[in-house]
Amino acid sequence: QEFPHRPLQLSMFTFSEEAKSCSDDLYDKTMKFDLVLSLEVAEHIAVQYQSELIRRLASATSKYLVFSAARPDQGGTGHIDDSMHSRTWWIEQLSQQGLTYLPQLSRALRYVTSRPDRPYDLGYNLIAMGANGAPDVEEIPPLAHDCMYHPKFKIEWREGDRQYLDYEEREYSQKHNLPEYLPLRQPCPFPSDENMEKRRLWVEGQEQALWPELDHLIRLVKSHELKCRI
């Protein structure tokens, strides 16, 4: 049976010559958006097309671009070695397109979005860039003060009520005279096993709500009611 509101997907390689006419219509240079997202995608795009990707992202951004891409030596499926760069590299490339790095919003978003599930990629790689004078934030969003959302990190980038990332970020901040850390009003302790179980059940419920068909198939496979052919 067809589920209501089934999403439709257009799958094409927008950088190819064959798709140029279609992609030019989709990526109209006059189209602007307050928020543009590109999360863990750029490392899957061949290096010769990355300059065009950067140009398109910057051109479409009228206020905020939230960007994340796999760093060198990060594990994953389908990553292209030559297409994996440091955060600083991406910041510099996007800055050359007229965007401004927003260090405090970057830290706040990492704090919220990485959570226990994505510390290895979003927790490190995510950056926020601004266009047309888009303001940075001064404090962590209130949502982050729910300790259920706190990522299970035990690394150097949090000291008491100060949130920063690593030495690469500190060096960049010092070089460009930017704030070196984001203050936390209510720093969360690292989550207990009980908090982690609460978080796991919450994520499970979200997955069931967002992808009911996929969740159903996964449950059938795990219960051995449905077997995959190899």
Side-chain angles (χ1 to χ4, degrees), residues 149-182:
Y149 294 98
H150 187 74
K152 193 175 182 179
F153 281 128
K154 291 186 179 179
I155 53 178
E156 72 272 19
W157 58 266
R158 195 186 77 185
E159 294 178 349
D161 62 351
R162 296 181 175 187
Q163 168 80 9
Y164 63 96
L165 186 53
D166 55 18
Y167 295 110
E168 179 188 344
E169 181 181 61
R170 278 190 161 180
E171 181 179 349
Y172 185 89
S173 297
Q174 291 170 355
K175 180 179 179 181
H176 295 274
N177 195 29
L178 298 172
E180 293 186 31
Y181 63 86
L182 181 67

Side-chain angles (χ1 to χ4, degrees), residues 22-118:
C22 181
S23 63
D24 284 349
D25 289 337
L26 289 173
Y27 295 96
D28 187 332
K29 294 179 181 180
T30 64
M31 294 171 62
K32 300 287 184 180
F33 303 91
D34 285 349
L35 177 63
V36 176
L37 299 173
S38 177
L39 303 177
E40 301 297 306
V41 173
E43 69 272 17
H44 300 276
I45 296 175
V47 66
Q48 63 265 35
Y49 302 116
Q50 285 188 334
S51 60
E52 177 63 12
L53 170 67
I54 292 167
R55 186 195 65 77
R56 289 182 180 181
L57 290 174
S59 175
T61 302
S62 64
K63 194 168 185 181
Y64 291 109
L65 166 65
V66 178
F67 179 88
S68 175
R71 60 195 179 277
D73 299 321
Q74 179 182 309
T77 302
H79 292 185
I80 302 172
D81 288 345
D82 291 343
S83 297
M84 299 165 72
H85 311 285
S86 67
R87 288 189 315 277
T88 299
W89 188 90
W90 288 109
I91 291 170
E92 291 174 346
Q93 297 300 310
L94 291 164
S95 296
Q96 290 175 15
Q97 296 294 318
L99 301 183
T100 301
Y101 176 55
L102 304 175
Q104 301 294 57
L105 181 57
S106 298
R107 292 170 183 136
L109 290 172
R110 290 186 205 118
Y111 188 92
V112 176
T113 61
S114 61
R115 302 178 180 175
D117 313 296
R118 303 294 296 267

